[in-house]
């Protein structure tokens, strides 16, 4: 077995699909692991725990409106609007296909959330 093959196999096997990541540590936002090479879906969880996932392959365009604290994502079948605070780094994560789960949090928790981290207060889904 070649060294390159062993290295790639080790990378693949070290990515444990059963491993849980805590979204609460990042104000409801979970990113993919650095070396993840599987299918990349983006899951949106609304305040009422209704959720939808969409594949990054169908993300056509994304817009960031810093003055409105809003991100608009245009998928082929849906338009997702994210409202919140400090959303620029989240926009960059989506741009680079790093974000995995985006969970909306209630406005009342914004004061105790980590500073300079993105906080999503609302997720609007339209078709």
């Amino acid at each position: 077995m070649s060294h390159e093959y062993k290295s790639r196999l080790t990378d693949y096997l070290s990515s444990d699909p059963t491993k849980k990541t805590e979204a609460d540590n990042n104000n409801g936002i979970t990113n993919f692991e650095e070396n993840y090479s599987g299918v990349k879906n983006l899951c949106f969880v609304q305040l009422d725990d209704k959720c939808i996932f969409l594949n990054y392959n169908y993300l056509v365009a994304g817009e960031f409106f810093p003055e409105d604290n809003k991100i608009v994502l245009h998928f082929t079948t849906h338009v997702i609007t994210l409202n919140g605070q400090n959303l620029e780094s989240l926009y960059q994560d989506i741009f680079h296909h790093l974000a995995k789960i985006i969970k909306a949090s209630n406005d009342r928790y914004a004061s105790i959330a980590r500073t300079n981290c993105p906080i999503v207060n609302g997720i609007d889904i339209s078709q």
Side-chain angles (χ1 to χ4, degrees):
M1 213 183 268
S2 72
H3 177 61
E4 179 183 347
Y5 179 77
K6 285 182 183 178
S7 177
R8 290 179 57 206
L9 180 62
T10 303
D11 289 344
Y12 176 76
L13 294 175
S14 67
S15 183
D16 184 3
T18 61
K19 188 167 105 175
K20 303 284 184 191
T21 55
E22 289 295 324
D24 297 335
N25 293 341
N26 250 350
N27 297 333
I29 299 168
T30 304
N31 286 346
F32 284 101
E33 306 233 351
E34 186 176 330
N35 293 325
Y36 181 77
S37 62
V39 175
K40 288 195 173 183
N41 293 311
L42 182 53
C43 182
F44 301 95
V45 182
Q46 295 175 311
L47 286 173
D48 60 359
D49 286 332
K50 179 182 172 188
C51 53
I52 184 173
F53 72 86
L54 298 166
N55 192 293
Y56 270 112
N57 289 330
Y58 299 106
L59 178 60
V60 178
E63 301 173 275
F64 175 53
F65 301 95
E67 63 279 355
D68 297 329
N69 289 314
K70 179 169 70 171
I71 296 173
V72 179
L73 302 172
H74 300 273
F75 289 86
T76 55
T77 57
H78 294 78
V79 175
I80 310 291
T81 304
L82 307 173
N83 296 301
Q85 302 167 358
N86 305 320
L87 296 180
E88 186 173 359
S89 64
L90 175 59
Y91 178 75
Q92 293 297 324
D93 286 348
I94 295 169
F95 176 79
H96 294 291
H97 294 198
L98 297 175
K100 180 179 183 180
I101 301 170
I102 299 173
K103 185 173 182 176
S105 60
N106 202 310
D107 288 336
R108 63 183 168 184
Y109 300 119
S111 63
I112 61 171
R114 292 181 9 195
T115 58
N116 297 330
C117 284
I119 301 169
V120 176
N121 296 328
I123 300 174
D124 298 318
I125 302 169
S126 60
Q127 293 185 353

